[in-house]
Amino acid sequence: MFHLIFGIPWLVVAVRFIQPLPWVWPLKLALALLLLAASQYHLFSRLSSGSVFSPEFPRPLIICFNLLFGFMLLLAVFQIALDVVSLVLMLFKAHFPLVPAGVRYGVAAVALALSAFAVSQAIRVPPLKDIEIAVPGLDPAFDGYQIVQLTDLHISRLFPASWTRAVVEKTNALNADLIVITGDLIDGKVEARSSDIASLAELKARDGVYTIPGNHEYFFGYKEWMAYYQGLNMTTLANSNAVIERGNAKLVIAGVTDLSSTRTAFPAHDTAAALRGAPAGAPVILLDHQPGQAAANAALGVAVQLSGHTHGGMVVGLDRVVARPNNGFVSGFYDVGRMKLYVNNGTALWPGFALRLGISSELTRITLRSR
């Protein structure tokens, strides 16, 4: 599917940008073939690694693929914009104006620079983002309680052991009360990722580390990964909950399986089951990888929902497209009934689209406040 979709912008670039360049044909052909290869990045991943979601190339090659892939997409967008301007000018000039070669070179330079910046923003260790959430019914004993949310780490050949270790060190330095990881921890099978993910076992918080599965866990052996996470000193909440206590005060941390589980033999997404047995009156913080079920979760009495999955949309403008299949939720805070929904932009993102423009990754420290 991806190789067909991304063949379209390549065709725009080849026909409308490269062909008119005042170059000899061998150079035009070389550039066209290079960008064709970039447009087929996901096909190469599937053929060589078995999955578009886990390219097993060396990290520098994955970075180069994303750089050229982003360059090709941006160039296609800019070329379409040039053609629209030319069509408008044609109304006044009575002919389709030729774009000077210097303008084309300038557009290409801007596209390449933006792509390089977008990749660098995508693969960095994310900056700290501090937010506060006023939680209805929160006992004053939990006022100031701090949770670090990590999500969409996509630990892979692009986000390897060194990157994971840096995230762990930055997280532990915050000395949080609780750490939660809201799905998509990995891209790849256990045998391929065990060394890359190992340092997650070093995450430390006073009340522990809780995680839930995202949709990518189901791509690479859900049962194996759930067992492996337990060995990393993390508690997986799969339609279940845990109770945090401060004296007589209680706070419920609940977690659900991903919506994509309905296509598998594994437990389906079930918020009601996740809340079963929770102490009455205690506010519930729900970990749900995808934000789309927020209204249904709010109706069940959840106070706060923490989600990821969307990566914040990654690129300004594209976030509106990403919002559509997620019931309009894509980044930041939303009021859903009486519930607060926070959609995290992601600690990392999928290696198959490692581009961020105007939408930053985040390592998120959440401070709870009682009303």
Side-chain angles (χ1 to χ4, degrees):
M1 177 182 70
F2 290 116
H3 59 283
L4 295 175
I5 292 172
F6 292 119
I8 297 171
W10 172 81
L11 194 61
V12 170
V13 171
V15 174
R16 296 295 305 132
F17 184 86
I18 297 176
Q19 195 278 329
L21 288 172
W23 294 1
V24 295
W25 274 104
L27 281 179
K28 292 183 183 181
L29 182 61
L31 179 58
L33 290 176
L34 178 65
L35 295 183
L36 177 61
S39 75
Q40 299 307 298
Y41 168 39
H42 304 95
L43 178 61
F44 290 137
S45 295
R46 183 170 64 82
L47 293 177
S48 66
S49 309
S51 170
V52 298
F53 297 107
S54 178
E56 299 297 340
F57 311 137
R59 189 173 191 253
L61 184 56
I62 296 175
I63 291 172
C64 284
F65 259 122
N66 276 285
L67 173 64
L68 291 172
F69 182 72
F71 173 57
M72 183 267 301
L73 290 178
L74 288 167
L75 205 52
V77 171
F78 291 164
Q79 180 58 55
I80 291 169
L82 280 175
D83 284 344
V84 169
V85 170
S86 295
L87 285 170
V88 172
L89 292 176
M90 188 175 68
L91 298 176
F92 302 95
K93 293 178 174 288
H95 64 85
F96 195 83
L98 293 176
V99 177
V103 173
R104 293 186 182 277
Y105 297 149
V107 165
V110 171
L112 186 60
L114 283 175
S115 181
F117 177 74
V119 172
S120 71
Q121 295 300 291
I123 66 176
R124 67 178 175 169
V125 174
L128 176 65
K129 182 176 181 179
D130 269 307
I131 63 173
E132 291 191 352
I133 301 179
V135 183
L138 185 71
D139 191 283
F142 282 102
D143 187 71
Y145 190 86
Q146 292 190 335
I147 302 172
V148 171
Q149 182 192 10
L150 307 175
T151 190
D152 298 274
L153 286 86
H154 292 280
I155 294 170
S156 58
R157 293 295 291 273
L158 183 59
F159 299 100
S162 58
W163 180 89
T164 308
R165 194 175 306 112
V167 169
V168 168
E169 289 173 358
K170 191 168 185 176
T171 301
N172 285 344
L174 299 175
N175 196 29
D177 295 294
L178 184 72
I179 297 170
V180 298
I181 312 178
T182 47
D184 280 5
L185 280 71
I186 49 82
D187 272 314
K189 294 184 179 297
V190 170
E191 55 269 24
R193 293 284 84 81
S194 57
S195 62
D196 295 321
I197 199 174
S199 59
L200 288 188
E202 300 169 17
L203 285 170
K204 290 181 175 61
R206 279 179 286 279
D207 293 319
V209 180
Y210 290 90
T211 188
I212 58 170
N215 55 309
H216 280 230
E217 273 79 10
Y218 295 88
F219 299 156
F220 298 106
Y222 172 84
K223 186 176 180 180
E224 292 79 4
W225 274 119
M226 293 304 101
Y228 198 83
Y229 290 166
Q230 294 298 116
L232 294 176
N233 300 319
M234 300 188 294
T235 300
T236 301
L237 298 175
N239 299 331
S240 59
N241 67 73
V243 179
I244 311 296
E245 298 183 352
R246 291 288 187 272
N248 293 324
K250 292 180 174 61
L251 177 67
V252 177
I253 309 297
V256 288
T257 57
D258 189 68
L259 286 171
S260 61
S261 62
T262 55
R263 299 191 294 271
T264 73
F266 299 109
H269 179 285
D270 191 339
T271 304
L275 302 182
R276 198 168 295 137
V284 175
I285 296 178
L286 178 70
L287 313 180
D288 191 346
H289 178 64
Q290 299 191 41
Q293 294 296 106
N297 294 335
L300 290 172
V302 172
V304 176
Q305 177 177 325
L306 302 179
S307 295
H309 183 62
T310 65
H311 306 160
M314 297 164 290
V315 176
V316 172
L318 186 60
D319 56 330
R320 293 299 90 207
V321 177
V322 173
R324 291 178 66 86
N326 291 284
N327 285 333
F329 307 122
V330 64
S331 178
F333 277 113
Y334 300 88
D335 289 313
V336 185
R338 298 184 62 194
M339 185 185 80
K340 291 286 187 183
L341 166 66
Y342 184 72
V343 184
N344 193 303
N345 287 348
T347 315
L349 42 63
W350 170 44
F353 197 92
L355 303 164
R356 283 192 182 274
L357 274 178
I359 297 174
S360 178
S361 55
E362 58 184 83
L363 192 158
T364 314
R365 177 167 55 189
I366 302 165
T367 302
L368 305 185
R369 296 297 181 192
S370 57
R371 287 183 172 180

